[in-house]
Amino acid sequence: MSNNMYKQTPSQTVGPYFAYGLTSEQYLYDFKSLANNELVSIDDDSITIRGRVFDGEGNVIPDAMLEIWDNQNNLFGRFGTGTEKDKGFVFKTKKPQSIAGNAPCLSVILFMRGQLIHSYTRIYFSDEVTNATDEVLNQIDNDRRRTLIAQKKDNYYLFDIHMQGDSETVFFDI
Amino acid sequence: MSQLIYNPFDMEVHPPRLSPDYKSTILRAPTKPLVLLKQSLAELSGPVFGDFNLGEFDHDLTKNSIKNGEPLGERIVVHGTVFNENGQPIPHTLIEIWQANSCGRYVHKVDQHDAPLDPNFLGAGRCMTDENGNYKFYTIKPGAYPWGNHYNAWRPNHIHFSLFGANITNRLVTQMYFPGDPLLQHDPIFLAVPPKGRDLLISRFDLEATEPDFALGYRFDFVLRGHNATPFEKI
Ligand SMILES: [Fe+2]
């Protein structure tokens, strides 16, 4: 239980200038990075996930940072949306397995200037039959469920994130 | 084994997602209600950074980017303890910081503020809390800087902090401010925090941590979300 002595430290925005501290190598700063966007070495098992983050007017957000966490494979990645040509993100990782009828997914933590507190979402995959039986997906209205599902393309999965609007991504309270 | 359940974000102290005085929130804050997610193993686990080889001076920003001399500005020690809401210290928490130099200029390429860069100061650092949850950085007191939120807007002196506790539920990104800063009462990012939470973001001057003839000390403790189970097990 919380009491007055140990109140949670309030969150503040990551701001626009995180790159040389949190994603230094990606942005070519001279400081070793703790994590990057290649969670596995590239081989037959690896998948690529790409996407962009959009604001309420449909503009691409070029200064967001994503962290992805795969507890099944113990993989963590971090990437800022400022260095790709399309100001998107890209991760190379492997696909987790379905467990107990629940669909494989990755946890996402999203930070950006203009967010006073980070957002949590998940990446599911369009080519998984277990999406139909997944407990979390099933608690979400049909029309919003698709915002959590990365669409399989030729050689990558597409996962766009919309902060607002009709396609607003489902964000979780965890 | 009893199931660990973490307390929710305490919205008595956290800023709301939408805070229109901080203009960038208007198009970037989610507008639909969050979907409550039952905490599962995915949320109750997280990356372990213990095996990352921290550099010798990663925690000392006065030394970790020296090219041809000492960085300019007022040397400070920033230290404290990371607790959870249960009052238990949290060891092995990764703390990353980034900040402007003493003139209020960030190394980041998009920072166009017309104040000098310091060739000997990067402004990034990191450390892990020790077995008692304690951390300590040496750095240079950051300067205030202007920003485009409104006419004549200036950010108060601050250091950005990123914390990674035992799992992703315990993630925290925040900013530490300095006592007595007159800009605090004009800063929409700081003021987005409800009154009850504001003091929690202001460090305390700490004479005991002040190092004679070297650096002023500031203390800043963190409290991460607590959980229901009382016995604390070190993983
Ligand atoms: Fe800042």
Side-chain angles (χ1 to χ4, degrees), chain A residues 95-112:
Chain A
K95 210 186 198 184
Q97 307 287 309
S98 156
I99 291 177
N102 285 319
C105 66
L106 302 169
S107 301
V108 177
I109 319 178
L110 178 62
F111 305 86
M112 68 187 78

Side-chain angles (χ1 to χ4, degrees), chain B residues 58-74:
Chain B
D58 275 10
H59 72 291
D60 188 344
L61 289 72
T62 70
K63 292 200 174 69
N64 71 15
S65 196
I66 283 186
K67 300 288 185 293
N68 58 11
E70 302 264 326
L72 297 176
E74 185 183 332

Side-chain angles (χ1 to χ4, degrees), chain A residues 101-163:
Chain A
N102 285 319
C105 66
L106 302 169
S107 301
V108 177
I109 319 178
L110 178 62
F111 305 86
M112 68 187 78
R113 170 175 72 80
Q115 268 203 146
L116 286 158
I117 186 163
H118 54 271
S119 297
Y120 292 99
T121 185
R122 280 184 171 188
I123 300 175
Y124 288 84
F125 303 93
S126 63
D127 54 344
E128 287 293 330
V129 288
T130 44
N131 288 343
T133 52
D134 185 83
E135 281 172 46
V136 172
L137 286 178
N138 273 302
Q139 83 179 72
I140 298 161
D141 293 343
N142 237 327
D143 57 325
R144 297 201 69 205
R145 200 178 300 162
R146 64 189 165 80
T147 68
L148 295 175
I149 300 175
Q151 296 301 315
K152 186 157 170 57
K153 304 286 178 188
D154 284 348
N155 55 358
Y156 67 98
Y157 288 91
L158 177 65
F159 187 77
D160 284 337
I161 297 176
H162 296 268
M163 300 311 300

Side-chain angles (χ1 to χ4, degrees), chain A residues 17, chain B residues 106 145 155 158 160 175:
Chain A
Y17 304 133
Chain B
Y106 284 89
Y145 61 86
R155 294 298 327 280
H158 62 277
H160 294 266
Q175 302 180 25

Side-chain angles (χ1 to χ4, degrees), chain A residues 1-35 53-65 67-72 74-78 81-82 99 102 105-122 124 134-137 139-141 143-144 147-148 162-174, chain B residues 6-19 22 24-43 45-49 52-54 58 64-65 67 83-88 94 96-100 105-112 122-126 145-146 155 160 162 164 168-175 177 187-190 192-193 196-198 200-201 220-227:
Chain A
M1 294 304 293
S2 57
N3 61 35
N4 285 332
M5 250 187 93
Y6 295 105
K7 289 295 260 185
Q8 289 173 22
T9 303
S11 173
Q12 293 273 267
T13 182
V14 76
Y17 304 133
F18 61 82
Y20 65 92
L22 301 182
T23 50
S24 39
E25 288 175 14
Q26 180 200 340
Y27 284 77
L28 307 178
Y29 292 101
D30 184 17
F31 191 59
K32 197 174 155 194
S33 283
L34 281 165
V53 186
F54 294 91
D55 73 11
E57 288 180 342
N59 299 310
V60 177
I61 294 177
D63 56 3
M65 184 184 84
E67 291 179 339
I68 66 172
W69 168 239
D70 169 4
N71 74 294
Q72 211 179 93
N74 204 20
L75 296 172
F76 175 74
R78 193 185 253 180
T81 61
I99 291 177
N102 285 319
C105 66
L106 302 169
S107 301
V108 177
I109 319 178
L110 178 62
F111 305 86
M112 68 187 78
R113 170 175 72 80
Q115 268 203 146
L116 286 158
I117 186 163
H118 54 271
S119 297
Y120 292 99
T121 185
R122 280 184 171 188
Y124 288 84
D134 185 83
E135 281 172 46
V136 172
L137 286 178
Q139 83 179 72
I140 298 161
D141 293 343
D143 57 325
R144 297 201 69 205
T147 68
L148 295 175
H162 296 268
M163 300 311 300
Q164 301 180 352
D166 291 342
S167 317
E168 181 174 323
T169 299
V170 168
F171 297 107
F172 292 108
D173 182 6
I174 71 172
Chain B
Y6 278 78
N7 304 335
F9 284 109
D10 181 354
M11 296 315 286
E12 268 193 352
V13 295
H14 285 290
R17 286 176 170 76
L18 176 65
S19 184
Y22 174 26
S24 311
T25 63
I26 295 170
L27 291 176
R28 293 182 168 200
T31 60
K32 297 194 188 336
L34 304 186
V35 172
L36 189 65
L37 185 62
K38 198 175 123 211
Q39 292 170 8
S40 71
L41 198 56
E43 287 72 42
S45 57
V48 176
F49 294 101
F52 183 84
N53 264 334
L54 292 180
D58 275 10
N64 71 15
S65 196
K67 300 288 185 293
F83 298 97
N84 63 15
E85 283 173 285
N86 309 66
Q88 297 156 329
L94 171 69
E96 296 165 277
I97 66 172
W98 68 102
Q99 61 166 90
R105 177 78 187 265
Y106 284 89
V107 164
H108 196 300
K109 294 173 186 91
V110 304
D111 182 4
Q112 296 301 314
L122 174 69
R126 60 198 159 206
Y145 61 86
R155 294 298 327 280
H160 294 266
S162 163
F164 226 121
I168 64 167
T169 303
N170 254 333
R171 195 78 178 86
L172 175 70
V173 167
T174 191
Q175 302 180 25
Y177 301 95
D187 181 47
I189 295 180
F190 174 72
V193 173
K196 203 167 177 173
R198 290 178 194 161
L200 303 175
L201 291 180
F220 191 59
D221 291 337
F222 293 91
V223 178
L224 304 179
R225 292 163 67 179
H227 51 75

